[in-house]
Amino acid sequence: MDKQHNKTRVEQSRSVPEVRFPEFKEEWIIEQLGKHIKKTDKKNKENLNLPVYSINNKEGFLPQSEQFDGVNSNDRGFDISIYKIIQPNTFAYNPARINVGSIGYSNNLADILISSLYVCFQTDGKIDDNFLLAFLDTYHFKTSVLRFQEGGVRQYLFFDNLSKIKLPFPTLAEQKKIAHFFSIIDKKITQLQEKKTALELYKKGMMQQIFNQQIRFKDSNGHDFPEWEVKNLGKITTLIKDGTHGTHKNYPESEYLLLSAKNIHSGRINSDLEDRRISKEDFESIYKNYKLQKDDILLTIVGTIGRTALVKEDITKIAFQRSVAFFRFENQISNFIFQLFNHDKFQNELQRRKVVSAQPGIYLGDLAKIAISLPSLKEQTKIANFLSKIDAKINTVNTQIEHAKTYKKGLLQKMFV
């Protein structure tokens, strides 16, 4: 290392992470990202017949295994001459969608095309690409993005501002060790996600056969259960109602929540500290004539239609807006109905009956007219128990995924300064 470079390192900001591999002792240098990345902007002027890719915007900053989704350029009617050529080992992002998307990374073995909207860049070789990918998933980077964005209603992270974000910079050997460590965690997460997907596909296939009556359960004596009966949904419920249509003032300190369709997913009610809160008086006014009870089924009916939740216990401090409908059943097994609501046939019926205006929606009266096939209560119980066991396995794997992600998030916080 020459004297000038030594002098530069002394003048630069230094630090060490909270957790690191013991064989490394040298302090980290804090430098702007722009010192080690260069913008690439090669237009497809030759109109090369290359595949077109786009960054996958599923859930924020994605792991390397989910960088790009391939799209065959021959299936689209666009002018690919305005697209950019991306070489292998190139990063890309949409300046207007950095919060909801990601900075993706192409490790393809050949050139690809990407929209001209994307900013593309490569490193100078002094940063390990996989180390940089790990840094892009840190809280420090995400908060830096917010600080350096510009614009009005729509915020942009221009390349010049991206370049100002400071990067903790260990030796290349330590970078590679850190990158390899996180790649092992990412591989484990990917394996768990694949296991979850396989269980979900298995359940979907079994539901298809069960609700089409290709598979029938038998009683304890090995005899067939009675034939299924077709009934309208409204004939077997004691309650079909939607949430409040009123306007309710927000009381941030209140213990009473006012939730909506966005809080229903994965078969459960999900809430957080940012959800709307209402007064006790408003809550009691909403539930003046009824209360949500254990075994009620919730169904989203405005906006995103068809998400469900099975109420596991009496709800005492949660109200819902009109985007959620409630069902209560008499002489039916609620867990069976919950599973039936998630079957493709019922979901397709919801889509067929929805009314499209400013927001897609479905009327309670139309819900009541939906015809469903019902087995006997004993067969309902067997079906519900069978499918619930698959659900339990899916939930177990999902919990393992969340624990692995939390573990990774914690280490990212401690292994980067």
Side-chain angles (χ1 to χ4, degrees), residues 118-140:
Y118 290 103
V119 172
C120 308
F121 65 89
Q122 294 177 327
T123 64
D124 64 355
K126 295 181 181 179
I127 301 179
D128 180 81
D129 285 359
N130 290 312
F131 173 81
L132 180 55
L133 281 169
F135 170 70
L136 298 178
D137 205 22
T138 62
Y139 176 77
H140 170 70

Side-chain angles (χ1 to χ4, degrees), residues 55-56 62 68 89 100 123 173 185 190 246 271 273 276-277 312 352 385 387 390 392 394 411:
I55 294 176
N56 187 333
L62 303 176
F68 291 90
N89 308 317
V100 296
T123 64
I185 300 176
T190 299
S271 63
L273 295 175
R276 186 177 179 83
R277 294 172 183 272
K312 300 292 187 180
R352 190 178 71 82
N385 290 343
L387 294 175
I390 305 176
I394 293 172
L411 285 175

Side-chain angles (χ1 to χ4, degrees), residues 336-396:
F336 170 82
I337 303 293
F338 170 72
Q339 299 289 352
L340 184 146
F341 275 14
N342 287 291
H343 181 233
D344 286 347
K345 185 177 180 180
F346 184 83
Q347 290 289 318
N348 291 338
E349 189 66 25
L350 293 178
Q351 295 302 315
R352 190 178 71 82
R353 292 174 179 270
K354 74 179 179 183
V355 177
V356 179
S357 55
Q359 271 192 314
I362 184 167
Y363 296 119
L364 296 181
D366 288 334
L367 287 172
K369 296 175 184 176
I370 295 177
I372 59 175
S373 297
L374 292 169
S376 66
L377 292 182
K378 289 185 178 180
E379 190 171 6
Q380 285 187 34
T381 300
K382 287 211 167 192
I383 291 170
N385 290 343
F386 174 78
L387 294 175
S388 293
K389 287 179 181 178
I390 305 176
D391 286 337
K393 292 180 180 178
I394 293 172
N395 290 335
T396 296

Side-chain angles (χ1 to χ4, degrees), residues 5 9 59 73 86 140 167 199 204 222 241 260 284 287 291 391 414:
H5 191 59
R9 291 177 70 89
E59 52 178 24
S73 60
I86 286 191
H140 170 70
L167 169 72
L199 284 168
K204 184 175 182 178
K241 186 168 177 48
S260 65
E284 291 177 345
Y287 286 135
K291 302 288 185 186
D391 286 337
K414 294 178 178 179

Side-chain angles (χ1 to χ4, degrees), residues 152-218:
V153 176
R154 173 168 287 191
Q155 293 284 298
Y156 294 83
L157 182 69
F158 299 110
F159 182 75
D160 287 346
N161 288 338
L162 171 70
S163 299
K164 295 175 184 176
I165 295 176
K166 290 184 176 180
L167 169 72
F169 193 56
T171 63
L172 194 57
E174 189 170 2
Q175 289 180 41
K176 290 183 179 296
K177 184 93 177 209
I178 292 170
H180 177 68
F181 176 71
F182 281 108
S183 73
I184 294 173
I185 300 176
D186 286 338
K187 183 178 181 181
K188 177 63 176 177
I189 292 172
T190 299
Q191 290 171 340
L192 288 169
Q193 289 170 331
E194 290 172 349
K195 183 177 181 180
K196 179 185 174 184
T197 298
L199 284 168
E200 289 172 338
L201 289 173
Y202 171 69
K203 182 189 174 184
K204 184 175 182 178
M206 294 306 298
M207 288 177 70
Q208 190 73 10
Q209 295 183 73
I210 288 171
F211 289 112
N212 288 339
Q213 300 181 54
Q214 295 170 289
I215 292 178
R216 293 290 306 273
F217 289 80
K218 296 183 182 296

